[in-house]
Amino acid sequence: MFPVKENLLKVLGELPEGIRLVAISKYHPADYIMSAYEEGQRVFGESHEQELRQKHDELPKDIEWHFIGHLQTNKVKYIVPYITMIQSVDSLKLLREIEKQAAKSGRVVKVLLELHIAKETTKYGLTPDALRQLLSDGDWRQLSHVRICGLMMMASNVDDEQQIAAEFETGRRLFEEVKQQYFADDEAFCERSWGMSADYPIAVKHGSTMVRIGTDIFGPRVY
Ligand SMILES: *Cc1c(COP(=O)(O)O)cnc(C)c1O
């Protein structure tokens, strides 16, 4: 079996104090998650609703699940009853659906707004201007069952460390900008979720408060 425990301890040992680890367990079996759980890890991230549902049913109930993948509005109702945080919110439509389902469940769901800063062409995430637009529209203020806790981003998948660092810095500046403008009195708005296996040592030097690490803990994914 893959040395999950050793890898987890190694990653935790490299994280500066105060930076939280979300162990990304997508495509990995429940016994891998249990290995990390036995070492005290409680926060796990998944990117597919059905896989998450299965793992949630089967695994200890004190696990904090974070959703990190693309989320269709029609799937929101399945995860809201138990999800702790949805890190990949990139539209008002999705925020409204989370609000609706969370109200039904009598819960408040934490969310991060996903940024699209990397050069890769993807449909997901908010460009800096789209983020500003969403926040200035103001409709999100009415959502009492959604708590916006910060931003999430992925850097470009490149070898150029300076480019990666510059992208995280762009994320950090945007965070400071919107924090000041919209969340100055809101302590909950404090998270910058950046850094994956390939780039977390860079991310923690450039503003990350939360890293999302899969491969370095659980090994390569078999799709
Ligand atoms: C899969 C995934 C990760 C983890 O990636 P690794 O390279 O395996 O550490 C982090 N964030 C998101 C959004 C992901 O989809």
Side-chain angles (χ1 to χ4, degrees):
M1 183 169 160
F2 205 77
V4 170
K5 291 186 183 186
E6 287 89 327
N7 292 343
L8 174 73
L9 294 178
K10 182 162 176 289
V11 167
L12 286 172
E14 282 166 11
L15 289 181
E17 210 173 312
I19 299 194
R20 285 214 297 157
L21 169 66
V22 183
I24 304 300
S25 47
K26 64 189 184 195
Y27 294 99
H28 292 293
D31 58 335
Y32 277 39
I33 298 176
M34 278 312 294
S35 286
Y37 182 91
E38 284 160 11
E39 288 297 321
Q41 180 67 24
R42 289 294 179 274
V43 188
F44 294 88
E46 290 279 337
S47 59
H48 292 98
E49 178 273 318
Q50 276 193 337
E51 184 181 349
L52 172 56
R53 192 185 336 181
Q54 232 167 25
K55 287 173 174 169
H56 171 262
D57 285 350
E58 165 174 0
L59 287 161
K61 293 299 172 277
D62 63 341
I63 288 179
E64 228 187 73
W65 294 104
H66 288 214
F67 195 85
I68 59 158
H70 176 62
L71 182 59
Q72 291 168 287
T73 41
N74 63 351
K75 300 285 169 62
V76 169
K77 58 177 176 286
Y78 300 121
I79 67 170
V80 155
Y82 61 86
I83 201 82
T84 296
M85 182 180 269
I86 301 175
Q87 296 208 1
S88 43
V89 174
D90 63 358
S91 70
L92 184 60
K93 185 174 166 225
L94 197 49
L95 276 176
R96 287 205 176 110
E97 180 63 17
I98 297 167
E99 166 70 18
K100 184 174 142 195
Q101 299 302 333
K104 267 192 201 166
S105 294
R107 305 191 65 221
V108 175
V109 173
K110 296 179 187 176
V111 305
L112 301 180
L113 300 175
E114 180 178 355
L115 288 176
H116 179 51
I117 288 175
K119 297 291 174 289
E120 270 108 54
T121 44
T122 142
K123 302 190 287 278
Y124 309 128
L126 296 153
T127 62
D129 279 339
L131 173 72
R132 293 183 181 107
Q133 188 66 52
L134 187 154
L135 290 172
S136 77
D137 280 350
D139 290 10
W140 56 274
R141 293 184 196 275
Q142 267 120 54
L143 311 178
S144 54
H145 299 83
V146 173
R147 182 155 301 140
I148 301 178
C149 294
L151 305 178
M152 185 268 259
M153 69 172 280
M154 276 183 271
S156 294
N157 183 16
V158 294
D159 292 330
D160 181 351
E161 296 198 357
Q162 283 184 344
Q163 182 184 338
I164 294 169
E167 290 177 1
F168 288 139
E169 284 300 325
T170 300
R172 168 145 67 180
R173 281 195 303 276
L174 256 176
F175 176 93
E176 295 303 339
E177 176 191 321
V178 300
K179 171 81 184 167
Q180 198 183 12
Q181 213 168 342
Y182 301 102
F183 300 98
D185 300 323
D186 184 352
E187 274 175 33
F189 191 90
C190 65
E191 299 290 2
R192 293 177 295 271
S193 174
W194 32 97
M196 313 179 13
S197 293
D199 58 20
Y200 76 88
I202 306 172
V204 300
K205 290 190 199 132
H206 296 277
S208 173
T209 62
M210 185 185 270
V211 293
R212 310 177 309 271
I213 300 178
T215 308
D216 274 8
I217 297 170
F218 299 110
R221 289 178 282 276
V222 181
Y223 295 103

